[in-house]
Amino acid sequence: MSEGRSFSHGAGGGAEIAARFGDLHPPFDRQGAIAEANRCLFCFDAPCMGACPTHIDVPGFIKKIASGNLAGSARTILDANVMGASCSRACPVEVLCEGACVLHRYNKQPIEIGRLQRYAMDAFHASGDKLPFEPGAATGWSVALIGAGPASLACAAELRRKGIRAVVYDGRPLPGGLNTYGIAEYKLPLVESLREIDMIARLGVEFHFEAQVDAGRLAELEREHDAVFLGVGLGAIHRLGIAGEEMAGVTNALDLIAGYKSGELTVVPERVAVIGAGNTAIDAAVAAVRLGAEEVHMIYRRGPEQMSAFPFEYDHAREEGVRFHWFVQPVGLEGEVGIEGVRLVKLEAAEDGSLVPKVGSERVLAVEMVVLAIGQGTHTAFLGEVGREAAQVELERGRIVIDRVTGQTSHPKFFAGGDCTNGGREVVDAVADGKRAGIGIAAWLEGRHVGA
Ligand code: SF4
């Protein structure tokens, strides 16, 4: 168990990684922040607020920056979103709050809400301030939270506010899930993720690391606690299913990102191929550039219109020098000991619209590293394994089915949120889910107690 420990102290890839992965959006200085805050129209019924899954009072916190009340600004953010610091860096604001800003209607630049939020949260952390709320009076109830990602952390903070014991179990040595291990360092540095979690831990959240929870352990936790929150995220990245995937030099995007963020991976070969075209694939491709690759190729079996990466991520990758190959499919990996190339075939549209290999188009792209980024599977099979009681947690295509208001599953004692319920969305969606589930669990426990 880990209580009272600072997770951020001494963690991360050190100065070299920090230098290579400098801020994508540099922070505001005081003058810049105040000028930007004063551009805000402080809209009544602000659309930016509605576009935020955690409904942060955006005009409220910006107004406080404009008047120099940074502590008040941070309190406004934290009251709605306890992970306001990481969200300010990791959120795709272009499609959330900033995308909804009314200034678009006047052909003006939207307010830089993400950078302003970061400005307030950086000042808050630098000041050493505590969270603007305390743990509630002890109720005697306890909840096990499986997974230490944003959904569980937001849920745990909410539970502590209500005086409920929150005990988090995670298989890795550090908390934060994707916030710590899976988001590009130039967006959210590992130490920043951990610094935020240090603050949440001070609410009295208890942590067990390197704790694997299988069906048997889950049944024990169900007996030991009054409720269970499932924030298990997604499973492993899919494999291609072609020969050679076990060779040295084949990895996946999440392992690559976690490797350099922790400092274990400091250099990559000269030529790298990334298979896939989602946001994680882009993060991996840009990482390969920053880690010294001279050629980084992204391989995608469809066209730019179909890729799941946001347009601004695509633009960023191109600015970094990543080369895109559309309508191509890997059909083999070449090499003896390690990867020497990826065998590709061009795809063309058949009469029925399906994509089929173009005859005679096969070629080998010489690379020394292949990074798989073709989506993740689920990690929920253990919920249905032998040993669980009759009332099972209902799944749909591997995702946990929940009541979207309370986070409750088909098994009343189990609640869930984040990627394991939505198939993989943004950090801020996981935080919103976790917060809702914390409120839902407290209400369910109170109702059960009253009715007992
Ligand atoms: Fe300010 Fe834009 Fe939000 Fe209006 S919509 S409150 S201008 S950030």
Side-chain angles (χ1 to χ4, degrees):
M1 180 140 53
S2 177
E3 280 180 278
R5 165 187 159 192
S6 166
F7 302 118
S8 56
H9 187 72
E16 192 187 335
I17 290 297
R20 286 191 191 198
F21 289 85
D23 261 322
L24 189 59
H25 302 295
F28 275 127
D29 59 17
R30 183 174 174 277
Q31 212 177 2
I34 290 175
E36 184 65 4
N38 277 307
R39 276 204 319 122
C40 179
L41 304 179
F42 309 115
C43 307
F44 180 74
D45 205 13
C48 52
M49 196 171 159
C52 171
T54 59
H55 303 303
I56 292 174
D57 176 0
V58 175
F61 91 72
I62 292 180
K63 192 168 248 175
K64 286 173 183 152
I65 291 176
S67 65
N69 178 7
L70 287 186
S73 178
R75 277 199 289 273
T76 299
I77 295 163
L78 287 164
D79 198 45
N81 181 340
V82 75
M83 305 192 75
S86 55
C87 287
S88 74
R89 293 167 180 258
C91 266
V93 287
E94 295 86 343
V95 295
L96 294 173
C97 54
E98 292 181 19
C101 178
V102 294
L103 293 182
H104 284 289
R105 292 184 211 160
Y106 307 110
N107 285 326
K108 289 188 176 166
Q109 282 294 316
I111 299 298
E112 291 194 67
I113 301 168
R115 284 177 79 201
L116 285 173
Q117 184 170 317
R118 175 180 166 182
Y119 179 71
M121 293 309 305
D122 281 352
F124 174 82
H125 281 302
S127 72
D129 270 356
K130 290 197 302 185
L131 276 168
F133 40 82
E134 299 275 324
T139 59
W141 294 320
S142 81
V143 175
L145 300 102
I146 318 302
S152 285
L153 292 167
C155 183
E158 200 59 40
L159 293 170
R160 293 301 300 132
R161 285 178 88 165
K162 298 182 182 315
I164 298 170
R165 185 174 169 227
V167 190
V168 179
Y169 298 83
D170 195 280
R172 301 184 99 149
L174 287 171
L178 282 183
N179 262 21
T180 299
Y181 290 104
I183 295 178
E185 191 75 1
Y186 49 80
K187 295 179 191 164
L188 177 58
L190 179 141
V191 290
E192 293 299 329
S193 166
L194 296 177
R195 187 164 70 157
E196 180 172 67
I197 301 166
D198 285 343
M199 179 187 70
I200 294 171
R202 286 197 289 274
L203 284 170
V205 178
E206 300 163 44
F207 289 93
H208 293 263
F209 297 114
E210 298 178 273
Q212 301 300 335
V213 176
D214 57 12
R217 183 73 183 117
L218 189 64
E220 285 172 13
L221 293 174
E222 184 183 347
R223 284 192 293 275
E224 291 165 13
H225 295 270
D226 297 287
V228 177
F229 176 79
L230 300 164
V232 295
L234 291 175
I237 285 193
H238 294 304
R239 311 281 293 175
L240 286 169
I242 58 177
E245 281 187 271
E246 306 309 324
M247 256 190 288
V250 181
T251 184
N252 69 65
L254 290 177
D255 284 351
L256 181 129
I257 295 167
Y260 84 76
K261 282 177 77 88
S262 63
E264 284 166 22
L265 178 71
T266 54
V267 67
V268 296
E270 220 168 89
R271 293 170 297 189
V272 176
V274 178
I275 317 294
N279 293 311
T280 305
I282 297 238
D283 281 354
V286 173
V289 173
R290 304 266 181 119
L291 289 167
E294 285 177 16
E295 285 178 25
V296 178
H297 303 270
M298 286 196 74
I299 312 293
Y300 185 45
R301 66 184 306 278
R302 300 172 74 95
E305 293 79 22
Q306 290 86 26
M307 70 174 177
S308 58
F310 293 125
F312 56 86
E313 296 282 15
Y314 173 45
D315 291 343
H316 175 219
R318 287 199 304 178
E319 281 163 20
E320 296 266 349
V322 175
R323 305 177 199 182
F324 285 78
H325 303 255
W326 308 114
F327 297 105
V328 283
Q329 183 175 359
V331 290
L333 300 174
E334 306 276 312
E336 292 193 357
V337 185
I339 283 287
E340 291 168 17
V342 51
R343 183 168 291 280
L344 300 170
V345 65
K346 250 193 151 349
L347 298 175
E348 61 182 1
E351 277 179 14
D352 65 357
S354 63
L355 291 172
V356 294
K358 185 175 177 184
V359 177
S361 66
E362 235 179 79
R363 68 183 174 108
V364 173
L365 178 69
V367 292
E368 296 83 33
M369 185 181 212
V370 170
V371 183
L372 306 180
I374 48 174
Q376 290 172 263
T378 54
H379 174 54
T380 49
F382 73 105
L383 295 171
E385 280 175 23
V386 188
R388 296 278 302 111
E389 311 211 342
Q392 302 251 325
V393 172
E394 186 187 341
L395 303 177
E396 194 179 293
R397 289 182 293 130
R399 299 177 192 175
I400 301 171
V401 177
I402 56 168
D403 177 316
R404 278 279 149 209
V405 176
T406 63
Q408 195 165 34
T409 72
S410 57
H411 186 321
K413 200 171 174 179
F414 282 73
F415 293 72
D419 287 355
C420 62
T421 65
N422 61 31
R425 295 184 67 178
E426 305 304 329
V427 172
V428 68
D429 293 296
V431 173
D433 277 2
K435 183 178 174 182
R436 271 195 296 269
I439 295 167
I441 292 169
W444 180 72
L445 288 172
E446 277 161 23
R448 204 182 57 159
H449 191 67
V450 169

